[in-house]
Amino acid sequence: MEEPEGSDEDPGERLRRTFRAQREKSKKIRDVEGISSIQQHSADDGRTEQTDESVVPSKSGKLSQKGLSSRKHPSATSQHLDDSVTRRLEAKLREAISKVEEEQKDAPLEPASRLQSLRDRDAAIRFDREVDADRVERQDVPADLSTRVKFREAARKVIKVHPNAEEAYTFFTHNFEPDPLDESEKMSRKKKKTQRTSEEEGDGEDGEEEVKEGDHDIESESEQAPLVQNEDEDLFVLDQLPEDVLVVKKAEYVGYKQRVARESELLFTPSSQPVPTSCKLPENMKPRYLEDEGLYVGERPPVSWTNERIMENRLLQMAEGMKWFGDDGRTLALPNPIKESSTRPPLQHIEGDLDPALQTVFRKLVMSKNANLYVTGAADPEGDYQLDVDVSGLIFSHHPLFSREHVLGARLAQLYDQYLSRQHNNLTEHLTDKLRGLRRALQNMLEIHGERDLTPPMQQRISEYSLEVRNTRQLRDNEQEKDRTLLKQLVKVWKEVKTLRELQRFTNTPYKLFLRRENVDRAADEQEHEGEILTEIVELQAESEEDYQRKLAEYKKQLEQWKLWRRKQKAKRKKRKKKKKGQSHDDTDEDEEEQEMSESESPTEEGPSKPEAPERPDFRSTEEWVREKASRIRRKPGEAILIPDLTASGNITATALCPRTEVARREDVSKRSLFIKILYNDKEVSRTDSRALNADFRVHFGQIFNLKIVNCPQSINLQVFEQIGLSSSLLAQVFVPVPQPTVVTGNAPLEEFEFSSNQRVMFDHEGVGSDVPLSFDADGSNKVTLLTSGKVSCCVSWGNGEDGAPLAPPVSQHLVRKHGGLGHLDAVTYLGASGLYDMKKIAEWAKQSRLDPNDPKNASIMQLLKVASSGEVTTPEYFRLEHLQEEFNFVTDEEIEKNKRFRLLRLREQGVPEFRNYKFVPAHENGISNEVFKDYEKRLKEEQIIDAKEYLDTHRALVAKNLQKIRESVIHRFLHAKRNYHVSDLVVEEEIPSIRFLGIELFKWAQPRRPLKPQRKERKKVTAQNLSDGDIKLLVNIIRAYEVPVRRPQSNKAAQSSQAAIQGSDWYLSQAQLRPFVEVSFQRTVLQTSSAEGPNPCWNEELQLPFRAPNGDYSTANLQAVKDEVFINIFDEVVHKSGESDKDRGQSFHASVEKHWLGSVKIPFSTIYSQSKIDGTFKVNTPAVLLGYNSERRHAPSGAYDILLSQSEGTFLTLFITIEPQLVPGESLRDKIKEVKFDSMQFDSQEDEGLLQASDRFESEATQNFPDRPCITTVVDLSGKTVFITRYIQALNPPPELLEVSTQEPAALIARYVSLIPFLPDRVSYTGACGLWSTCDQFLSFLAGDEEEHAVLLCNYFLSMGKKAWLIIGTAIPEGPTAYVLTLEQSRYLIWNPSSGQSYSQYDTFCPLQTIGCLVNASNVWFNVQQYTSPTRISFDTTKAKLWKQFFSRAFCHPGLSSVQPETLMYRRGDKAAAAELQDRIEKILKEKIMEWRPRRPTRWNRYCTTTLKHFLPKLEQSRGADVTEGHRHQLQSQLGDNKISGFPLNLPFSGIQPIIEAVYSTGVHHIQAPSAEFALAVYVHPYPNNVLSVWVYLASLIRS
Amino acid sequence: MAELHIIGQIVGASGFPQNSLFCKWGIHTGGAWRLLSGLKEGQTQVDIPQTGDMAYWSHPIDLHYTTKGLQGWPKLHLQVWHQDSLGHSQLFGYGFCHVPSSPGQHHISCVTWRPLGSWQEQLTQMFVGGGPQLRNPDLIYSGADRYRLHTAAMGTVELELGVIMKHFDKHGVET
């Protein structure tokens, strides 16, 4: 607003500038105000309110018109304003402005801005462009603000000059209307007023006025515009009434005519009149029509004439328009591009000749379950595979209901069949022809070449030919002989039939044999016969001659050699004689020498004996032989050829005429009917109708079954059932091979499959029965035993699809089955079906098997080979795209194969054990040493070679190998089961707590707290996959021990007074001398507790041992296979004051600490893993004799606890072991197998299905009711089959040697024998946690097994000894689920631990058996349904159904299961010599090892002590470690005098040297550091039958005191 | 002895008419290629997205090849299947793409198609599901005669493949 004062520029110019500036400003202000207008709204007074109201409805129409005019026109038209008018106006305006400026000083801005803002808003709605401009401006708001601030300051200044309150008050009411203006202004005002009034009055104005207004010419409007603009400023400044501010304008409208006229000036409308040709062509040109000249002109695209004309007219108006016209005066145009027919061929058209590879198949929706049964990945995911099984019929070749005549008839028919098939093949004829041909060829060869010397290859060929002749003749003779005998037999059987029919006086079979005679020309026949014989003789003679020559040559050679040797010998002898003469003075020497000589000579003289000259062949005998043979095998010359002809046209005697037995038989036959079950992959899929058995024992079914299959075909099995009345029995099974994919219904012939069954059937009528000896001779000799047998004729083939395509899976999915034996002659089996396309292979095979080219059977192959070898196939006639592929190769295959890195990578990928978890493979080949593969290659090599070194015993090595093999095969078998994933295997899902559970949880809050009764909380289980080394720890909590052997007072006179001293009052003294501690070693980590005092120490210490999985692989399978054991040893800490040093006597002394081994407990890691915790009191494995310690009970039992203890002798240790964090034990494979069993019958079973189901029910019921009691009714045997458990129990003879020794109780000895068989948990050997049960003979030959095998064997031995014995299935510590043996002896029950040989009475507190799940014997299985499971609290009376739930009850009786065990066991006697040898070796190895473990100190062996100990060991064996100690100790003591002895014997079963070394090492004897220590070591191996060995190792250390 | 690592994932698929999808995949190579480690075919889980159109599988692919030549560069072929709420599966598309031949991380969108079949088949498919499938799935990556097929475009499968090459430069292959 502030204009620079006193500027004397051109006032007009200035004014305009001011205007512009003001306008700009006001606009800005308006904008700013516009934003804030809403807030200000309420502050406005009523007047403005009114205006507002009046304005708002009239937003439309005029206002906008005004906006348009006020904003657009000034800028556009102000330039055109008339100068005079402008000047006038300017003068007036200046006045007004000065006034306004004065007034404005105190004028608040709101109303104006308000209106402005309204208008602005309106504009924003109407005019986009304006809005845009506004928006742009709005962005400059800060700048505007500053100007505004300036303006306000200015305004304030003005206000200070004129502080006129009244004016301010009346500002809004005051009429600021200036004095009358001049005419034009008046006019405009008036106009405005009218507009305003009309506006004020609402929308009252009519259209006429609008039109009038619209009729104003542009100039007047433009003239008006600045005024309005001016008004704007005025508004702003003066804030006039709305009527003054607003201009109402009528809608702007340009009349149509006007517009047309205006437009016509600017626009050009081409006419649609035709254009004369002349215009379109250059001047003086005649149109030229190319078509007429014979040139091809394409068809123009269709365009309507009008459009074309318009276009032409338009073009003509354009510059250079002429170039668009062609010679013919028309516009240029390309030919019509649109084709008449569609270029994309229709769908139906093609389908017929579509390439088969491109064809699509319409597949129905697939259930995903089936989709992935076949393959994953790209291959055909599913298919409608269909097997057609055509069961056409059944013929019995023997049936129990056969009468004698039937038997003969069947034989006759069989022979006749044989005859027919021979006749059909006509081998004799064929061989005769071949022979003839060969002879001719040989003859030709000889004739052509004559007597001239033959080239070596010729000779070769001749000899080959003659060999061939010889072979062929042999074959022919055989065939002829067979023919002849067949014919003879046929006649003989027929005669038998006839006699039988006469004898029994009725006919049962319709067979009739006719013999047709075919006469021959006698002379020709004879001639031929003779000729044949002659040639044969000649040949034979030639052959024998040749043979003779060869032999002769050989003989000569040998003779030559012999002579040579002879001469040498003579020379030698002469020499010797000379020598002898020279040395004759020393007689004795000579004698000896001579003796030596003769000794040395005698074998040589026997060397080559004088060969005998071969005999000359006798030609006469040859001839005789040939003739005799001919008469035997050939028809006599001139004799008629007999052709048998069997018909079934005979009559069968009617039933009424038969004797009673026969009638009974026939009735029986008519009662029977047969049906066939079809089993696919061991599942019954369908069965035929039941058909009655005919009198001729043929059954016709004629049924075809279409099997839609989704599983890979593994077996197709037809089961023949015989039905009598309602009961049916399985007669036989026929396994039909799965057809090749090429065998499709239609081209598959019916095949006959033979079957037989060994069921024993006997009848009291004419039926001969089955498996019953039967004789046709009157005297009952010549008995034959016939088994039910027959043939099923059936055909299995792949179905045909609707389109004729075979519904067979692709070849690759078939398991390639290896056939042994026959393979050589059958090309298909030899090469495999796919190999048939490989010509080379076929040719090779043909050559190898010397295919006879003339054999009609081989014709097709020969033809094929001819084509193949003629070379068409070998030279390709086609262009090969990858012709130069070889040249582009980087490297060769061999190089890749050789690359060590790649090999390593691949082996790792394949999971070869050596490389399974190989972590880092070097990036470069040179980073890999050859050593890496050494182990692997060695293992490959060793698959065959047995390493006897480690096992010290070849038998054991063999067994180990064998076990390995079985293990591999079993693992293979289980791989399938393992792959069967369930969702739970892959997804770990936290179980949603059920309401009940929640309720219990809630209830727990209310429970009284019992801090003094802590309970174990369930720990969270950790899946093994995301573990690494160091995460897992083994926690061993050692609580206390009982009855640890105490140290014997080490006094010199102890020998005589020991007994007295201990029984005396000072036994406390001796007790105090014991300082036991426990050392736990696991995976090379050794930790020990502090030492406690006394024989009943209490440690209560927790030891943490780190666990590392082999190869860092924490998968379940690997953890299960961990073989490490936890050794828990009890030691006594002995402190020696080893002499005080002289200098500072009394102040310091040297003490050396020794530890003496007292006993050990061994717990395999696999047990801990599978049970997750082990808690209990264990019997410590203490040596039988502990030198220097006293293990016997020292005083009379005084307390109750002692009474309990007294029942079981020995040292006990209370332990708690667990793994931290808790690992999820692997799911046992057995469950999986079960699932699989029902899924695909992979692990099939011989058991009856009903039995299996019953056992499943039994087991599931048992686990449901008593989840913690193990219940086993079926087990898996070594071949992976499920076997019912009672089949394992059968009385078996124990080794007789053990029974011979009558000195001891035989039961204990036998238990000991069983316990000496080495222990090998299945879990370790068969990686999956799966108990496989081997039978006793398998167990004894492997000499390794786990608890179950031991228990079964022991139980079987006890049974054979006449005891009542059961197998206990239960849980024990530390083994976990295990098997024990229970025997009943004189009304008390004994529990035997089979793997230690210990027996416990039922009420023994320290019996390791904790839970008894079930009892098993040969006849039944009893499940424990009593309240308690501990053996001390239950009753073993199995007859009580309330206490023991039996498997076979009255409802489900025992089906008479036969045992899987052998009837008797064979034993080899213990081999004493081998044992002695082994003993020496073990001793040597152990001594070496002990010296090795003491690298810094010399190890001295006390020989004297060793021999003493050695004598003592056999005694220990005899007494099985019982008390023989006293005398022994006395003996030792007296012999060794002053020495402090500590030592003990170890007893182990022998499985290998490694466990023995381990055991010796764990005792820590070698740790003794005393310089004067000496050692003694004795080994004794006691052989038991069947190579079971008991190894005793006596270790002792002596310290000279 | 050039080596090729293909490490990546099948991220997912989008643009299919239904979105509960799974994918069977495989890698096809020429005879010159040897697989050193890794699985060369597999199947993803069925993803039933709760929101959005894209089914995510994030199925890992980790292969290690060695080769004696460039011929038969690995191709990845895919089959996208749809599994409905009843557990029925039907084919939704075939697709294939070459494994990128330059080292580095690659994002690949593999478009898929599905054979159309006759109108009867299309009608059947509309009502009861199922649909035409290739008899010979090799056709997915062997292009002979494919022009005769009538197909409909289906969605896209997204893949992320990282390619690491080793010693290709030693044999004159610039990478």
Side-chain angles (χ1 to χ4, degrees), chain A residues 29 142-156:
Chain A
I29 289 161
D144 293 342
L145 275 173
S146 66
T147 56
R148 198 176 137 193
V149 168
K150 268 185 198 163
F151 165 73
R152 281 215 172 138
E153 278 170 2
R156 235 174 274 142

Side-chain angles (χ1 to χ4, degrees), chain A residues 1037-1055:
Chain A
N1037 204 337
I1038 293 150
I1039 297 160
R1040 57 149 60 91
Y1042 309 107
E1043 302 290 322
V1044 182
V1046 287
R1047 231 180 279 166
R1048 183 173 286 274
Q1050 280 296 333
S1051 57
N1052 289 347
K1053 50 191 186 297

Side-chain angles (χ1 to χ4, degrees), chain A residues 153-168:
Chain A
E153 278 170 2
R156 235 174 274 142
K157 271 184 211 162
V158 178
I159 287 166
K160 274 174 192 169
V161 178
H162 303 279
N164 191 348
E166 203 212 338
E167 258 189 356

Side-chain angles (χ1 to χ4, degrees), chain A residues 603-621:
Chain A
T604 38
E605 256 173 295
E606 275 165 20
S609 59
K610 196 182 174 191
E612 281 173 31
E615 263 178 66
R616 255 203 108 66
D618 184 5
F619 291 125
R620 190 145 333 125
S621 68

Side-chain angles (χ1 to χ4, degrees), chain A residues 361 363 366 890 897 901 923, chain B residues 3 34 68 89 131 133 166:
Chain A
V361 213
R363 294 262 161 78
V366 204
F890 302 156
E897 286 298 324
R901 189 172 121 80
Chain B
E3 291 171 49
R34 298 279 175 84
K68 58 170 184 165
S89 305
Q133 289 173 24
K166 187 181 170 188

